[in-house]
Amino acid sequence: MKDINEIIKKAKVYGFHEATFLDVSTIKLMDEVRSMCEDNRCNKYNTNWSCPPGCITLEEGRKKLSNYSKGIIVQTIGEVEDSLDFETMMEIEEKHKRNFYEFYEIIKERYENSMAFGSGCCTICPKCTYPNEPCRFPQKCVSSMEAYGMLVSDICKSNNIKYYYGPNKIAYTSCFIIK
Ligand code: SF4
């Protein structure tokens, strides 16, 4: 726990607005969330190794998660003018992803078998090799929480962190799990 508290403190210094302890037993990998991916509202379904159907199956995901008990949730929160302010949303998302990938490198240095679940699909390469060539950077590629079947709002609630911050705010949520 001492270790986790240190990481939480570091995450906040590093630029995340919120960070808290994640109890891995609260994570359920749900078929319903995967079905939402199939609806393809984000236009990423079947386009990237980090997204369904190219990423891990739920059964494989459950097996992996069973080896973990703790982690942290991180959030980047920003102000938007309204629900159509996509430009600001993208800026906040970019900031979140930048901090997320950099912070994952710090976590990996300390915890060899850590895993990360991001917000949105993997954007490491300008164009993903899916489906014709294998992933270029399997050690760096990160799936979203949703791609693993996680209902982010439920996980936030179970771990006492807000998911919704009000009508003019947007929060990007990601998490790391460690052994
Ligand atoms: S690292 Fe590159 S090839 Fe691999 S999933 Fe991400 S974008 Fe695709």
Side-chain angles (χ1 to χ4, degrees):
M1 197 66 186
K2 189 174 160 242
D3 260 16
I4 285 277
N5 285 336
E6 268 178 37
I7 300 173
I8 290 170
K9 232 186 259 174
K10 211 177 231 181
K12 287 186 179 167
V13 171
Y14 213 79
F16 295 107
H17 296 108
E18 291 292 341
T20 195
F21 177 76
L22 168 63
D23 174 356
V24 175
S25 72
T26 64
I27 300 178
K28 309 279 176 262
L29 304 191
M30 300 161 71
D31 291 311
E32 296 87 327
V33 178
R34 271 291 176 95
S35 303
M36 287 191 245
C37 288
E38 284 174 42
D39 290 344
N40 201 16
R41 280 186 221 155
C42 62
N43 293 320
K44 296 294 179 193
Y45 184 76
N46 206 17
T47 65
N48 191 296
W49 286 116
S50 69
C51 294
C55 66
I56 201 164
T57 66
L58 289 194
E59 212 35 63
E60 290 165 339
R62 286 183 191 115
K63 213 180 251 178
K64 276 197 171 191
L65 256 64
S66 67
N67 296 314
Y68 295 82
S69 63
K70 62 189 177 188
I72 72 165
I73 298 175
V74 291
Q75 287 179 331
T76 305
I77 305 159
E79 300 259 356
V80 287
E81 276 178 26
D82 53 42
S83 60
L84 296 175
D85 185 5
F86 299 117
E87 199 184 327
T88 313
M89 283 178 206
M90 276 170 65
E91 279 170 19
I92 301 164
E93 184 182 13
E94 268 171 35
K95 182 182 171 197
H96 179 74
K97 280 196 157 186
R98 207 169 41 242
N99 286 344
F100 171 75
Y101 281 121
E102 285 179 19
F103 200 60
Y104 189 30
E105 292 304 313
I106 291 172
I107 288 188
K108 276 194 286 191
E109 267 172 29
R110 191 154 166 183
Y111 303 97
E112 214 182 307
N113 295 309
S114 55
M115 288 182 73
F117 306 95
S119 166
C121 74
C122 176
T123 50
I124 290 173
C125 311
K127 182 160 172 33
C128 187
T129 55
Y130 182 88
N132 301 317
E133 301 286 336
C135 171
R136 284 189 196 100
F137 304 108
Q139 302 307 322
K140 287 188 172 180
C141 162
V142 170
S143 289
S144 68
M145 292 176 75
E146 290 87 350
Y148 259 70
M150 301 179 193
L151 190 59
V152 181
S153 54
D154 271 12
I155 294 171
C156 286
K157 192 173 173 198
S158 303
N159 290 279
N160 304 312
I161 185 167
K162 274 169 49 171
Y163 171 73
Y164 179 65
Y165 286 83
N168 289 98
K169 291 206 168 163
I170 186 158
Y172 290 91
T173 303
S174 302
C175 66
F176 305 94
I177 56 176
I178 58 172
K179 281 198 180 153

